[in-house]
Amino acid sequence: MPIKPKDLSTIRDLLRYAVTRFNTAKLFFGHGSTNALDEAAYLILHTLKLPLDKLDPFFDAHLLQHEVDAVLRVIEQRADERLPAAYITNEGWLGGYHFYVDERVIVPRSFIAELIPDQFSPWVSNPDKITNILELCTGSGCLPIMLADAFPNAQVDAVDISADALAVAKRNVEEYELKDRITLIESDLYTNVPENKYDLIVTNPPYVNSTSMGKLPPEYLREPHIALAGGEDGMDLVRKIVAGAAKRLTPKGILMVEIGNERAFAEAAFPELNLTWLTTSAGDDMVFLVTADQLQ
């Protein structure tokens, strides 16, 4: 029997309905929430413009009919279109930072973001001496913004091949009032990047191998294909990034690359390099580091 908006009057009603709807639709959760309950709560609170961390005080509040209708539209959009919640709300969160997002960029997520608050210690011994950072495949601009915050003396060049992605990044850079410190560059990796030397090159590039691309859930397929697909072994862009880093790094510079679940392919692609694997919440397989010395 079709749901009738008048059957639902409180947030508790809507939350129960949303969880059942999401579980019935077998949605995939990997863009911020990890389960139907958290995703439903987020979407309901955001739609009603209520604090995202305060569900309990409003549980049994009776909603106006137009509020119920608005929440139901969002629930059905998430369930029917398999659209990531971040695209519905136009916001993504990463490491406590808030970013505008839409379907021109992937939803912000990065294990490198976990390492930035500690200023890449112990591999960076003096954060104040970091003055030039290059960030490749910037997407929404989330990592350059976090890097600029963590390294206050640094200028950051943020690169993406997609003009659409850079338009989103520009909005976020301006929101954080960092346009004097972050330069957005439309470029195929290093092609249009100035001949600078960088203390850090940081990148979360497309790295999903072709087999895995064919198995992605519908939610991920709503994201830009160009921001995910990394070729047969996922290393197409990673090879180019590593190859071009040697002449771009300062003598004590560091290259940091996120490769997700592709550690085996990364080690096979660079057998001559002793890759240093960094510890993140997902273990020691998601991010590798190479020094300028290793690349000479």
Side-chain angles (χ1 to χ4, degrees), residues 43-74:
L43 286 170
I44 291 169
L45 291 169
H46 184 277
T47 303
L48 297 174
K49 297 179 173 58
L50 294 172
L52 298 180
D53 59 346
K54 288 183 171 61
L55 178 62
D56 288 353
F58 306 103
F59 242 140
D60 295 307
H62 287 268
L63 304 180
L64 300 173
Q65 190 58 55
H66 74 86
E67 293 177 316
V68 174
D69 293 341
V71 171
L72 285 176
R73 282 195 297 272
V74 166

Side-chain angles (χ1 to χ4, degrees), residues 84-104:
Y87 291 156
I88 297 174
T89 62
N90 291 127
E91 70 175 13
W93 296 85
L94 186 63
Y97 290 72
H98 168 268
F99 303 101
Y100 171 85
V101 295
D102 60 33
E103 290 178 80
R104 293 174 289 179

Side-chain angles (χ1 to χ4, degrees), residues 254-289:
I254 292 170
L255 168 66
M256 191 172 298
V257 184
E258 181 165 339
I259 49 83
N261 295 310
E262 310 292 352
R263 176 169 177 168
F265 284 123
E267 290 181 330
F270 309 107
E272 74 285 0
L273 295 176
N274 183 22
L275 303 178
T276 298
W277 293 92
L278 310 185
T279 300
T280 70
S281 61
D284 301 330
D285 301 326
M286 303 295 170
V287 180
F288 71 76
L289 177 150

Side-chain angles (χ1 to χ4, degrees), residues 49 51 56 70 78 114 125 139 180 192 217 244 260 266 294:
K49 297 179 173 58
D56 288 353
R78 178 69 181 92
E114 299 177 10
S125 59
D180 292 336
N192 298 327
Q294 290 175 272

Side-chain angles (χ1 to χ4, degrees), residues 9 13 28 34 38 92 105 159 166 170 180 190 194 197 243 267 296:
S9 63
D13 293 336
F28 182 85
T34 59
D38 289 347
V105 297
V159 174
L166 290 172
K170 181 174 184 289
D180 292 336
Y190 302 105
K197 294 288 187 179
E267 290 181 330
Q296 297 307 313

